[in-house]
Amino acid sequence: MIDVVVFGVSAIIVLGGALGVVLSKNPVRAALSLVASFLAVAVLFVIQQAHFLALVQVVVYGGAIVVLFLFVIMLLGVDKVEDLDLPERSQVVAGIVSGLAFFGLICAGLFVSGPGGDEGNVALTGQIGRNPIDSTDDINQLAADIFTRNLVPFMATALLLTIATIGAVVMVKNSEADSSLPEAEVN
Amino acid sequence: MELTETWFLLLSAALFSIGLAGILIRKNPLIMFMCAELMLNAVNIAFIAFSERLQDIAGQSAILFILVVAAAEVVIGLSLVVLLQRRNRDLVVDDLSELRG
């Protein structure tokens, strides 16, 4: 019973934070709503016995990523209410309709039985209990899974992070070189 | 009332739809990136629900990979935003139409 209550409260915070991101005019408020949403998602991880992932969620999402967002907001000085960001009415209607349609699509996938009856529903027909999760030892199991079955994807993420870092440096550096070029010619 | 994975999947669907609507509605690229993060988190909720339901740790490793991809995406995306801000002062994605055919 208690887990239903915890789920309900964190679900409200998740959705409220998400709505705050979408609706707030001030980017700083949007970023702080994002933190609320991320932390409530971490609570959902704890309910599902993924304690290590909850920790990572708080540190990486709630810490690093949101701080990066706030840093860029402050750096660019867009932390004021923007008049330019008012979308047209048709765009708002189209966005809301698309969101509702997508939600309806997923609900149909969840609740409507396919040709195979309930057997074909929700993809919950996979082999259950193949590697039973021991919630007191989820770090070791996660490590064993990543470094054995998912070793190649893991190395691919290392490559991805390297490329992202180099890409960010190159983009910012090249644009500085371009903007300084005309001045050099004038001099 | 019992807490089943259906509730988590419904929450995931709702969060993903809100993020989708946000990307379509907002014009500020920063907010659009935040909405993309919301959508990634919605997928994380679905993964964790399936991982617990099927008792398979693979769902949790998928979440870890999503985290890495999200971090890389934010690094590239935010440096793009900084570049755009340098070129034209106000951040409105509708103004970025140089690549239009």
Side-chain angles (χ1 to χ4, degrees), chain A residues 84-99:
Chain A
L84 298 162
D85 196 31
L86 294 174
E88 292 124 39
R89 181 173 293 271
S90 59
Q91 193 182 350
V92 175
V93 173
I96 292 172
V97 168
S98 312

Side-chain angles (χ1 to χ4, degrees), chain B residues 21-48:
Chain B
I23 283 200
L24 292 174
I25 290 172
R26 298 302 297 259
K27 290 179 175 178
N28 186 332
L30 275 169
I31 308 282
M32 290 171 73
F33 274 118
M34 290 182 199
C35 292
E37 298 298 323
L38 285 179
M39 291 161 79
L40 288 170
N41 261 277
V43 176
N44 282 352
I45 295 174
F47 263 120
I48 202 73

Side-chain angles (χ1 to χ4, degrees), chain A residues 22 38 57 85 130-131 145, chain B residues 26 41 55-56 61 86:
Chain A
V22 175
F38 285 165
Q57 172 88 8
D85 196 31
R130 194 171 38 194
N131 312 314
D145 188 66
Chain B
R26 298 302 297 259
N41 261 277
Q55 284 294 302
D56 193 335
S61 7
R86 273 193 202 154

